[in-house]
Amino acid sequence: MSSGHLNDKSTMPDYKIRDDNFQAWMKHYQKAPSISPEGLPTSGGHGFIDYQRISDPVALTDALHARREELDRAVGPDKERLGLLYRAETLHNLSPGSRAEVREAMSELIAYDRTHGHPMANPHRDLTAEPYTPQEQAHWHRRDGRSLTTAEQERASGLDWNNPLAHQHKPAPMPEGTWWLHPANEPKRQEAIQRIEREMEEARNVGTRHSVPQLNADAVRQRREMTP
């Protein structure tokens, strides 16, 4: 599975840009409604637990414990997806200093959702204004050969999951290219890149005005090794 995109330094050269981009993705996942019909358990988990929203340590522990229990009960594709979600949440909430590792885990979660057609992995899609289609719901709940639960089977016909006419609406496709750049963070990213470019240009100008002979590092190292 492709991973590491949220740590991409070519498009996000500053660590602050990468962390702000992660924050934008996290808020996107928190805001999106569940793809599972109302009243049914989520298929593969939903949302994203965040210590910045749950300030009470006991409540945070309880939330992570509940997620772990959800993971332990899950099977098949639901267990795989919940494993990715739980890992990203655990790293974010219990190891906040390891930001690169947190972003790596979030990248793997988003990559899974993209691979399996979850609209939540499309940062340009407002799932409140453009809700999940019956086709998207049916595809997600049947991903990788997943069998519908009894409750899902009972609801499927009423939700038009098996009605081809309900599948005619085609939502915007997943973005390609630099899909990991969340549009909500784009103004900050552009501003930071311009600042970095200005600082580099200023450093080059200073170096030109105050040029000094360059040391031959290898020659110096050899002389040091030869010194008693």
Side-chain angles (χ1 to χ4, degrees):
M1 178 179 294
S2 178
S3 62
H5 291 99
L6 269 65
N7 282 320
D8 183 67
K9 295 181 180 180
S10 63
T11 54
M12 297 176 287
D14 186 272
Y15 79 92
K16 185 65 166 57
I17 306 175
R18 296 190 289 275
D19 212 39
D20 286 345
N21 188 63
F22 164 83
Q23 292 288 336
W25 271 107
M26 181 176 64
K27 291 176 182 176
H28 177 75
Y29 267 57
Q30 291 169 338
K31 181 181 178 182
S34 174
I35 195 170
S36 297
E38 185 177 357
L40 295 181
T42 61
S43 173
H46 173 251
F48 196 94
I49 299 170
D50 177 22
Y51 67 90
Q52 298 171 89
R53 288 192 170 196
I54 307 176
S55 56
D56 180 9
V58 175
L60 177 61
T61 300
D62 289 346
L64 290 171
H65 180 69
R67 183 75 84 196
R68 178 69 211 194
E69 290 185 329
E70 185 181 9
L71 170 60
D72 291 341
R73 291 192 302 269
V75 295
D78 287 351
K79 194 176 192 69
E80 181 181 2
R81 205 267 178 183
L82 272 163
L84 295 171
L85 175 60
Y86 180 69
R87 179 172 183 270
E89 290 175 329
T90 302
L91 286 170
H92 171 64
N93 290 288
L94 303 183
S95 303
S98 306
R99 302 311 304 164
E101 193 174 2
V102 174
R103 292 191 295 266
E104 176 81 10
M106 190 67 172
S107 295
E108 293 179 355
L109 174 64
I110 299 170
Y112 176 93
D113 290 344
R114 279 180 58 82
T115 299
H116 294 86
H118 198 310
M120 190 162 53
N122 182 351
H124 299 278
R125 175 104 170 251
D126 182 342
L127 288 165
T128 300
E130 190 179 1
Y132 303 109
T133 67
Q135 183 181 23
E136 289 170 335
Q137 289 181 313
H139 177 77
W140 176 257
H141 287 81
R142 293 188 175 103
R143 69 192 185 283
D144 290 342
R146 179 185 181 276
S147 299
L148 296 181
T149 65
T150 301
E152 289 169 350
Q153 289 176 351
E154 291 174 352
R155 297 282 297 278
S157 58
L159 295 169
D160 283 334
W161 282 7
N162 301 315
N163 180 5
L165 295 178
H167 299 173
Q168 291 181 345
H169 172 65
K170 300 295 182 183
M174 290 282 187
E176 298 299 332
T178 54
W179 58 262
W180 57 89
L181 298 178
H182 197 286
N185 189 54
E186 193 58 18
K188 289 184 179 180
R189 188 180 79 90
Q190 291 295 339
E191 182 181 349
I193 288 176
Q194 291 172 8
R195 172 181 54 78
I196 292 170
E197 290 175 346
R198 286 196 304 270
E199 291 173 351
M200 292 177 64
E201 182 63 25
E202 290 171 1
R204 283 193 292 267
N205 292 337
V206 171
T208 301
R209 292 196 301 270
H210 304 285
S211 59
V212 296
Q214 296 296 312
L215 292 174
N216 186 324
D218 290 335
V220 172
R221 190 178 301 109
Q222 290 176 4
R223 285 199 299 272
R224 287 178 175 174
E225 292 173 353
M226 293 170 62
T227 303

